[in-house]
Amino acid sequence: MRSLIRRDREWMLSPSPDESITQEIKSALSCNTPFAVLLARRGGNDWQRLVDPDAHDFHSPWLLTGMEAAVSRIMEGIKREERIFIHGDFDVDGLTGAAVLYLGLLPLLPRGKIKVEVGDRTRGHGLSKGFVRRAIEEDFPLVITADCGISNAAETASLHTAGVDTVITDHHLSPPVLPKAAAIINPQQPGDTYPNKDLAGVGVAYKLISGLYERLGRPTPLQLLDLVALGTIADLVPLSNQGEVENRAMVREGFSVLANGEGAPGLRVLMKKMSVNPARIDTFDVSYFIAPKLNAANRAGDPKVAFLLLTTGKLPRAEYLTEVLLDYNKDREIAQNDLLAQAERAIADGEIDPVQDGITIVAGKHWNRGIIGLTASNLVDRYQVPAIVISKGGKLSRASCRSVEGFDIVACLKDNSDLFTRYGGHPMAAGFSIPTSALPLLYQRIRRYAAAHRTELAERVERIDTNVNLSEIDQRLYTNLCSLSPYGPGNQSPRFLSRGCSFTALSLVGSRRQHLKGKVSQDGTSLPFIAFNMGRYINTFEREKGACLVFRTGFDTWQGTVQAEGIDLVTD
């Protein structure tokens, strides 16, 4: 099926699942056909695991290689009342990971025994030489990392030589030679058999605290799961992967913490400022409202502000820190809009054609490194192809990369790794550093790589979960769909197809009149309808009679009704 709005987009109905499984689900859950079909297609014979995952789906922390050594070393430090230096990366995953380690260790040591440092973009990701020097000069016996360290062999070697033990918690791909550390906890390290390879950095940190508490006979620290949910969603790791649902279970439990009025007071204050209802929070709220405000600290200010907000227990201080973050965010928005305009001009003036080449690669002198990742994401949204945005320095340049489903950006970087001084990331988001003199050669290679993998992108047809009648969209179906949440990478929000639709009472809403709102009708049934950021297509929706609508289900909190959230109009 071809889009009537975006001519380069194709849709396909997913194959029908085994009818016997569908009937089994309908009988067991007393649900309607669309939900049973969705559950059967996504879960097969193991469909029960997809419904309401909870803490019972958490894996034992002791399955992680290095957990025994890490817990033993930390318990030794607690017994001796040693000072511990925590280092977290400066993005939301690293900030929440450092916060989990700090809040988890805080009740176990005397006051003043824990110090935390979060990196910044000036010093780059991971352990810096300055951090190593401070740890040695300040005579810390133990360093614990969050969301970093696996690529810091030289830095951990310096710490070891000075008599400082390092416990690494990380989730990034391991280098050929592992750092010399007292313990390494990373599901990606060679030989590790932990079932969930997609743990975020904060997830690994939480596993360490969970293992420590278990060894000490303390209850599992479920109250920290709001931070785990935040970092997991922000880092774009899969919430579900081939039946593995631990990440999704942790996010669900984290949302429950917030819904119950518990968790980090600072996070609750920030949510209130963003008008995010903790009882109805979802991954969209985290991705588009909460995480960007926390990330603004490392893009346009001091990331320590975000860490302090996540760890403070005092509401007046949380209010103050939230206002600082919002000021940072205003500066970030101005810088982001300016850089995006420069990137668009570079595309217009350059040799790269995103649509023709299947990739966007742009560079500018001394572009704000805190904003280039956001700019890459914007370019992906606009051109629907991977994007690489480079900040050119005199001798060294740094880049952020964002990708699309079907194109592994880390595999692309690995294919050109001989050019980089450093690189890493995930299939959907990555970064690298490169000598500026090597950029012309990189452009050539990236074009060749994209051309060689163009077939993968060209064959990327978007899937629709199942066909439905509008009469089947009701409160009960919406409630059933909520049982499969939270949605995100690896567990995409269900997409439905309804044929023979028409649209009435359409109007433009939103601060920039960018959204389309009205009613959608089919065979005498009408539903409230909204299509976000599709206001410019109002004439198409009004003109098309009997069109096929691709949509998600949503909830209009003002009207208290289920609504159709339009994604596309397609030919049958």
Side-chain angles (χ1 to χ4, degrees), residues 127 149-159 168 175 177-180:
L127 304 181
I150 198 68
S151 297
N152 290 118
E155 290 78 8
T156 53
S158 296
L159 290 169
I168 293 173
V177 179
L178 294 177
K180 191 176 183 61

Side-chain angles (χ1 to χ4, degrees), residues 166-232:
T166 305
V167 171
I168 293 173
T169 73
D170 203 344
H171 71 129
H172 296 97
L173 293 176
S174 300
V177 179
L178 294 177
K180 191 176 183 61
I184 298 175
I185 307 175
N186 184 342
Q188 301 284 355
Q189 66 179 303
D192 191 286
T193 58
Y194 192 75
N196 180 15
K197 297 297 183 183
D198 296 315
L199 279 173
V202 66
V204 180
Y206 179 76
K207 288 295 174 180
L208 173 57
I209 295 299
S210 297
L212 179 63
Y213 273 43
E214 182 179 327
R215 181 61 58 83
L216 292 170
R218 288 174 168 253
T220 301
L222 297 177
Q223 72 277 8
L224 298 176
L225 283 170
D226 60 332
L227 300 177
V228 178
L230 174 56
T232 298

Side-chain angles (χ1 to χ4, degrees), residues 203-443:
V204 180
Y206 179 76
K207 288 295 174 180
L208 173 57
I209 295 299
S210 297
L212 179 63
Y213 273 43
E214 182 179 327
R215 181 61 58 83
L216 292 170
R218 288 174 168 253
T220 301
L222 297 177
Q223 72 277 8
L224 298 176
L225 283 170
D226 60 332
L227 300 177
V228 178
L230 174 56
T232 298
I233 295 168
D235 215 48
L236 299 176
V237 295
L239 299 185
S240 178
N241 189 353
Q242 297 182 345
E244 170 52 60
V245 297
E246 183 181 39
N247 282 350
R248 183 168 156 242
M250 289 196 294
V251 171
R252 282 178 68 96
E253 292 294 308
F255 285 172
S256 293
V257 169
L258 292 171
N260 292 332
E262 301 170 343
L267 180 54
R268 296 202 305 273
V269 169
L270 179 60
M271 289 169 60
K272 185 176 181 180
K273 290 285 186 180
M274 297 293 98
S275 298
V276 173
N277 184 349
R280 301 186 67 88
I281 187 172
D282 58 23
T283 53
F284 182 88
D285 294 326
V286 173
S287 298
Y288 289 93
F289 296 111
I290 301 171
K293 304 307 180 292
L294 293 167
N295 267 327
N298 73 65
R299 301 183 194 281
D302 183 357
K304 190 69 176 286
V305 171
F307 171 81
L308 292 174
L309 177 67
L310 295 175
T311 54
T312 185
K314 300 176 180 178
L315 288 179
R317 182 164 174 76
E319 294 277 356
Y320 166 74
L321 293 169
T322 296
E323 291 301 325
V324 174
L325 276 186
L326 295 179
D327 285 340
Y328 285 159
N329 191 60
K330 291 176 184 176
D331 294 339
R332 187 272 305 167
E333 287 178 341
I334 294 170
Q336 181 180 347
N337 291 337
D338 177 65
L339 186 52
L340 182 60
Q342 293 185 58
E344 293 285 10
R345 286 196 296 270
I347 291 171
D349 298 339
E351 299 178 1
I352 281 267
D353 181 337
V355 176
Q356 180 66 31
D357 296 334
I359 197 165
T360 304
I361 179 167
V362 291
K365 288 185 178 179
H366 305 297
W367 277 355
N368 186 332
R369 296 203 301 270
I371 311 297
I372 56 177
L374 293 172
T375 303
S377 295
N378 285 328
L379 294 175
V380 169
D381 289 341
R382 173 161 183 173
Y383 297 106
Q384 295 298 299
V385 296
I388 300 174
V389 180
I390 304 169
S391 175
K392 293 173 64 175
K395 294 183 179 180
L396 189 70
S397 297
R398 292 188 172 91
S400 281
C401 318
R402 299 294 183 269
S403 196
V404 296
E405 292 291 342
F407 189 94
D408 186 337
I409 194 65
V410 171
C412 174
L413 299 186
K414 186 176 182 180
D415 198 61
N416 297 282
S417 59
D418 60 301
L419 297 180
F420 306 133
T421 59
R422 192 173 186 177
Y423 79 98
H426 314 296
M428 297 291 286
F432 62 83
S433 299
I434 185 173
T436 302
S437 59
L439 286 177
L441 179 57
L442 176 68
Y443 298 156

Side-chain angles (χ1 to χ4, degrees), residues 125-139:
H125 291 279
L127 304 181
S128 67
K129 292 180 180 178
F131 170 80
V132 172
R133 183 178 64 254
R134 285 186 291 278
I136 295 172
E137 290 177 350
E138 295 176 33
D139 200 25

